[in-house]
Amino acid sequence: MSRKILKWLARTVAFSVAVLVAYLGLFYRWGHHAQIQSGLLGEERGFQVYLPASYDEKAGSHYPVIYSLDGEKTRHGQLMAANAHMLSALVGTPEVILVAIYTHGHRTRDFAPNRGAEAFTAFLESELMPHIDGRFRTSGQNVISGHSYGGLYALYAFAEHPGLFDAHFAYVPSVFHYEPILDQVGQRLKMETGSNTHLYLVSGAESQEKFWRGFDGVIARLTDNPNPGVSWKRAHAPLPHPLSMIPGQIMALRYLAAESSD
């Protein structure tokens, strides 16, 4: 793809972001900032919770929860909430609660399987998720969503903590940071967990071969080890690395809605 086309796509996406964030302000509640003291991590962790506009009106409704990594960035917080609402309003996908988790500068620690991913998972499972379930009307369906290093963590959660999340969104996962994850995914696919899970993978217009080597490696494991309890799909968003997750979110949310309705 030529540089001119990529620049045009980047400008188009930037304009779309501005429109969607404005749309969010009209139809979706702005995020409620909160924080909890994590005894497991030994630090205070912040996050924002985005509730559907109908949350108060539908007092008897319960909602799936999407836990979005790198939550301090607009495209992982406000924009993803806007995408979720847009799809709900236009094509009837289920409304969701979005929890955008801040990294506090620790993304390479928390998302790395060979560093702090295990402790971060314990924080999610034992502290943050019970906190959210205790304060909001959640349905029990939980999704993890991550881009790049966060996508690597989504694969780690899929491989090493089956059952914690019902679906995993991995946008351009940076597998090259920890290539043993490929074998871990392969081993996970050979397991019988007794529950169904979903994995949605998005590739972008990556110029570095190391991204494609890792992405194709994950696809190869999924193809070679079919598991009736694992539904997965791949998609391609021909945009530069920071932007590929924006259309990826829309595709992943539509995929999850379709799978959940079957």
Side-chain angles (χ1 to χ4, degrees):
M1 185 178 295
S2 71
R3 187 179 299 274
K4 182 180 291 187
I5 293 175
L6 284 175
K7 287 183 177 179
W8 177 83
L9 285 171
R11 287 195 298 269
T12 301
V13 170
F15 175 76
S16 300
V17 168
V19 172
L20 284 172
V21 170
Y23 187 77
L24 169 65
L26 292 174
F27 296 103
Y28 216 95
R29 291 186 177 187
W30 285 105
H32 304 277
H33 173 75
Q35 52 196 19
I36 60 174
Q37 182 65 39
S38 171
L40 293 169
L41 296 177
E43 61 195 23
E44 196 169 65
R45 297 300 298 243
F47 55 94
Q48 281 193 305
V49 180
Y50 297 86
L51 299 175
S54 65
Y55 187 84
D56 289 337
E57 299 171 8
K58 299 179 180 179
S61 295
H62 292 74
Y63 302 87
V65 182
I66 297 178
Y67 291 90
S68 181
L69 304 176
D70 290 307
E72 68 275 18
K73 297 178 181 177
T74 298
R75 63 183 184 271
H76 296 273
Q78 295 101 312
L79 183 58
M80 190 165 192
N83 282 335
H85 176 77
M86 177 184 68
L87 289 173
S88 177
L90 296 180
V91 298
T93 59
E95 291 184 295
V96 301
I97 295 171
L98 179 74
V99 179
I101 308 168
Y102 301 159
T103 62
H104 299 289
H106 297 314
R107 71 191 306 265
T108 58
R109 179 198 72 183
D110 292 343
F111 303 163
N114 57 336
R115 295 188 65 194
E118 189 64 28
F120 182 68
T121 304
F123 159 70
L124 294 179
E125 182 175 17
S126 300
E127 295 180 330
L128 182 58
M129 294 169 74
H131 178 88
I132 297 299
D133 289 339
R135 286 162 177 77
F136 302 99
R137 299 193 309 274
T138 61
S139 68
Q141 183 183 31
N142 296 302
V143 179
I144 188 72
S145 175
H147 171 258
S148 194
Y149 229 126
L152 173 62
Y153 177 81
L155 291 176
Y156 165 79
F158 166 80
E160 295 299 316
H161 294 274
L164 181 58
F165 296 102
D166 301 282
H168 310 74
F169 298 163
Y171 315 105
V172 199
S174 53
V175 172
F176 61 88
H177 283 305
Y178 185 72
E179 292 191 351
I181 194 65
L182 295 173
D183 290 334
Q184 290 172 261
V185 168
Q187 290 300 315
R188 161 67 179 86
L189 292 165
K190 297 174 183 178
M191 295 171 54
E192 294 291 340
T193 64
S195 60
N196 295 329
T197 191
H198 304 279
L199 179 61
Y200 197 86
L201 297 144
V202 177
S203 59
E206 306 301 325
S207 59
Q208 299 182 59
E209 191 273 336
K210 61 183 180 180
F211 274 101
W212 286 108
R213 184 176 65 247
F215 190 87
D216 291 342
V218 175
I219 299 302
R221 268 61 173 189
L222 289 163
T223 303
D224 294 342
N225 300 280
N227 185 318
V230 176
S231 299
W232 67 275
K233 188 173 183 179
R234 65 176 296 177
H236 182 62
L239 291 173
H241 185 76
L243 301 177
S244 55
M245 67 162 296
I246 297 174
Q249 290 172 352
I250 295 174
M251 293 186 287
L253 288 166
R254 294 199 68 171
Y255 163 78
L256 182 62
E259 289 291 308
S260 299
S261 65
D262 289 344

